[in-house]
Amino acid sequence: MALRCLIVDDNEQFLVSASRLLESQGLEIAGRASTSAEAAELVTRLSPDVVLVDVQLGDEDGLQLARRLAATSAGRVIMISTHDEAELADLWESTGAVGFVHKTTLSAHAIRALVGQDFE
């Protein structure tokens, strides 16, 4: 069973490239969202195993979305950003997310390591 991911980011180019990368590494991309509202609807409809949430969603706050998702049975939340993890540690740790991955090091291996399960 492949790990099913939902990617939430306001940058369409990143959504496409991250989807291709993670799919090539054996993850299933259950969906992509560019807003908090779209993400919430897709989480309810698709029940992904993990939700990758960008810290900055344009005019929206990805941290607030992560808090809402982590407080539900929405699966595991992983924060992603181009900002350094150390700069954001206090913020993302307060969301209930299981971890943080810098966008330049995003990989199926990093995601699997954070969720603590080996999906094939």
Side-chain angles (χ1 to χ4, degrees), residues 14-83:
F14 176 79
L15 285 173
V16 171
S17 62
S19 295
R20 287 182 183 149
L21 171 72
L22 297 174
E23 285 177 329
S24 74
Q25 295 176 353
L27 299 187
E28 179 183 336
I29 302 305
R32 300 185 300 224
S34 58
T35 66
S36 293
E38 187 179 13
E41 189 273 323
L42 288 175
V43 163
T44 300
R45 186 162 44 92
L46 302 173
S47 300
D49 299 310
V50 65
V51 183
L52 306 177
V53 178
D54 188 16
V55 171
Q56 295 178 315
L57 290 174
D59 293 337
E60 300 180 70
D61 185 349
L63 298 167
Q64 289 178 354
L65 173 62
R67 282 185 195 95
R68 286 195 312 270
L69 294 177
T72 68
S73 59
R76 293 168 215 108
V77 176
I78 295 174
M79 301 305 303
I80 58 175
S81 181
T82 56
H83 296 283

Side-chain angles (χ1 to χ4, degrees), residues 55-114:
V55 171
Q56 295 178 315
L57 290 174
D59 293 337
E60 300 180 70
D61 185 349
L63 298 167
Q64 289 178 354
L65 173 62
R67 282 185 195 95
R68 286 195 312 270
L69 294 177
T72 68
S73 59
R76 293 168 215 108
V77 176
I78 295 174
M79 301 305 303
I80 58 175
S81 181
T82 56
H83 296 283
D84 185 69
E85 178 178 7
E87 294 175 28
L88 302 172
D90 290 340
L91 294 173
W92 75 257
E93 289 173 353
S94 72
T95 66
V98 298
F100 176 94
V101 177
H102 194 279
K103 287 183 179 181
T104 61
T105 60
L106 184 64
S107 69
H109 176 75
I111 292 168
R112 286 184 183 113
L114 286 172

Side-chain angles (χ1 to χ4, degrees), residues 4-17:
R4 298 178 67 246
C5 298
L6 172 67
I7 306 172
V8 185
D9 196 292
D10 63 322
N11 182 312
E12 182 64 28
Q13 184 178 355
F14 176 79
L15 285 173
V16 171
S17 62

